[in-house]
Amino acid sequence: MNLLDQLDWSYWKRLTPKEKRTLLSQLLLHFVNPLMKISDIELKDFELYGIKCQTFQLTFDEEEFVFIPGNKDAILGWNLGTKGLSLLETAPNSQEITIPEELRGQYNFFDVDSLGELINDKTTNLRKVQIPPMFVQRHALPAGTSYLGVYDAVTGSFEGEADQFSAFEQEIKDVLFPTLTAEESMVWSFPKNVLKEDRWYIEMVPNSDYYHVFSHKNHTYSSLRKKIRKKNFDLLTEDQWEYVNGAGSRRLFRWGNDLNINDPYRGKNVRKMMEQANMFGLFFDTSMERFEITEDPGVLKLRNKKNQVGIPIVDFLPLATYFANDTMLLHEKVLAPSEYLYRKAILIKV
């Protein structure tokens, strides 16, 4: 049996931990840049909504990755309309709904069959594809950035790449702790994110006093892709992105189809499942405020604009595994870190 056959998920799941470690050693030896620092290798069990995968989490140059086994017969895309959705997802959750201008006159938002047509139109075509085994970055990064660490806005402490952070420390403190008049201090609040072009970018960790800190260089899609490849990484294609997001499951959303985040009993748990690591240990942005770029030129996943129609399935559709974007990315557009994300991968191809 050749290496790729052993790395197919159907075979990988039957291997013992010892056999998996042997295969991992071969992959690290033959497919990972020898100049890269590899550390913190752990065999972990990931699970989301009944789909489980035991695989390796590890760091390349202090960035977290996971190994995702391949799949020679992955089924991706969607053509099942509202199948699997309940009335809680397809019915209005408020007395009035707001139909986006670009969708007016195209669909009847009060008819389940018409909503099914909308879902099919806004998702990728059903298809069977071959997905290679790969190492994939756990967290997508803001475009043009490299992760440095975490800054505590209360204590002023920093954890991470201290030498690089020290070059930006005073500039960041000046932004986060400005000199204010009494009147200004009444209305001032910590910024959600701040960019100092070609120097640094900070982004608040939701519901906390912490900021993620990044170094920053302006990049277009073309220049960022070139930089990634220079270090022997790739971006994910649309097929690969959809697979690592939902594992090829026949569900619209990786966490199941419960979208009722405002329910007083289940809402908190639904939100937790949306935001937690998926069945491969990956995290995906759920803000609906940023795109994630792909290897396919112009093709974007996720979305940078929230729907506020008042029907859960329409409002959350951009988070669906198979959501297809209407927006095409121009190659020479400078990518703002607050609007675009990128995720690195090492593809195993023999």
Side-chain angles (χ1 to χ4, degrees), residues 27 57 114 138 214 226 230 264 296 325:
L27 296 179
Q57 177 180 316
S114 186
R138 293 192 78 197
F214 308 85
K226 186 176 180 180
K230 203 171 182 179
D296 297 327
N325 247 302

Side-chain angles (χ1 to χ4, degrees), residues 9 13 47-52 71 73-80 83-84 123-127 129 131 239-257 278-280 319-323:
W9 198 7
K13 65 178 68 174
E47 178 179 1
L48 185 62
Y49 207 75
I51 300 178
K52 303 176 182 179
N71 191 326
D73 300 301
I75 305 296
L76 303 175
W78 189 261
N79 67 349
L80 299 175
K83 186 175 180 181
T123 47
T124 56
N125 294 329
L126 191 69
R127 62 209 187 274
V129 300
I131 302 295
D239 288 347
Q240 292 160 4
W241 191 96
E242 289 185 3
Y243 181 72
V244 303
N245 180 286
S249 66
R250 293 294 83 214
R251 292 193 300 261
L252 270 172
F253 300 92
R254 62 184 176 276
W255 64 85
N257 290 330
N278 75 349
M279 59 286 287
F280 292 132
L319 297 183
T321 296
Y322 307 116
F323 178 69

Side-chain angles (χ1 to χ4, degrees), residues 173-232:
K173 285 183 175 180
D174 289 345
V175 168
L176 295 181
F177 307 106
T179 302
L180 302 170
T181 64
E183 287 183 3
E184 288 171 336
S185 65
M186 295 292 288
V187 295
W188 189 87
S189 60
F190 281 109
K192 185 177 178 182
N193 55 62
V194 182
L195 171 65
K196 184 81 179 277
E197 286 193 24
D198 286 324
R199 284 188 62 74
W200 51 265
Y201 174 70
I202 58 172
E203 191 169 271
M204 182 181 278
V205 178
N207 307 312
S208 78
D209 299 314
Y210 297 98
Y211 279 87
H212 288 306
V213 181
F214 308 85
S215 60
H216 176 263
K217 290 286 183 187
N218 270 334
H219 276 287
T220 63
Y221 172 79
S222 300
S223 67
L224 181 58
R225 193 161 163 245
K226 186 176 180 180
K227 177 193 172 188
I228 291 167
R229 287 185 162 181
K230 203 171 182 179
K231 295 190 175 182
N232 292 355

Side-chain angles (χ1 to χ4, degrees), residues 59-235:
T59 64
F60 296 144
D61 287 344
E62 308 303 328
E63 294 181 331
E64 289 187 341
F65 283 73
V66 288
F67 172 70
I68 298 180
N71 191 326
K72 294 178 180 177
D73 300 301
I75 305 296
L76 303 175
W78 189 261
N79 67 349
L80 299 175
T82 59
K83 186 175 180 181
L85 301 173
S86 72
L87 279 174
L88 289 172
E89 281 73 50
T90 58
N93 57 10
S94 58
Q95 291 185 338
E96 294 184 6
I97 67 170
T98 305
I99 301 173
E101 192 172 334
E102 67 270 18
L103 297 178
R104 286 175 192 168
Q106 295 185 51
Y107 305 98
N108 179 354
F109 286 77
F110 297 98
D111 178 75
V112 173
D113 291 335
S114 186
L115 279 178
E117 290 177 20
L118 183 152
I119 293 168
N120 289 345
D121 289 345
K122 299 295 180 183
T123 47
T124 56
N125 294 329
L126 191 69
R127 62 209 187 274
K128 184 177 179 180
V129 300
Q130 187 168 332
I131 302 295
M134 49 191 154
F135 294 100
V136 180
Q137 198 167 23
R138 293 192 78 197
H139 300 265
L141 295 175
T145 70
S146 295
Y147 186 65
L148 297 183
V150 177
Y151 180 73
D152 187 328
V154 174
T155 65
S157 61
F158 175 79
E159 188 174 323
E161 302 291 328
D163 289 346
Q164 293 185 61
F165 174 72
S166 64
F168 313 135
E169 184 174 6
Q170 193 54 53
E171 293 176 18
I172 291 173
K173 285 183 175 180
D174 289 345
V175 168
L176 295 181
F177 307 106
T179 302
L180 302 170
T181 64
E183 287 183 3
E184 288 171 336
S185 65
M186 295 292 288
V187 295
W188 189 87
S189 60
F190 281 109
K192 185 177 178 182
N193 55 62
V194 182
L195 171 65
K196 184 81 179 277
E197 286 193 24
D198 286 324
R199 284 188 62 74
W200 51 265
Y201 174 70
I202 58 172
E203 191 169 271
M204 182 181 278
V205 178
N207 307 312
S208 78
D209 299 314
Y210 297 98
Y211 279 87
H212 288 306
V213 181
F214 308 85
S215 60
H216 176 263
K217 290 286 183 187
N218 270 334
H219 276 287
T220 63
Y221 172 79
S222 300
S223 67
L224 181 58
R225 193 161 163 245
K226 186 176 180 180
K227 177 193 172 188
I228 291 167
R229 287 185 162 181
K230 203 171 182 179
K231 295 190 175 182
N232 292 355
F233 288 107
D234 282 293
L235 295 170

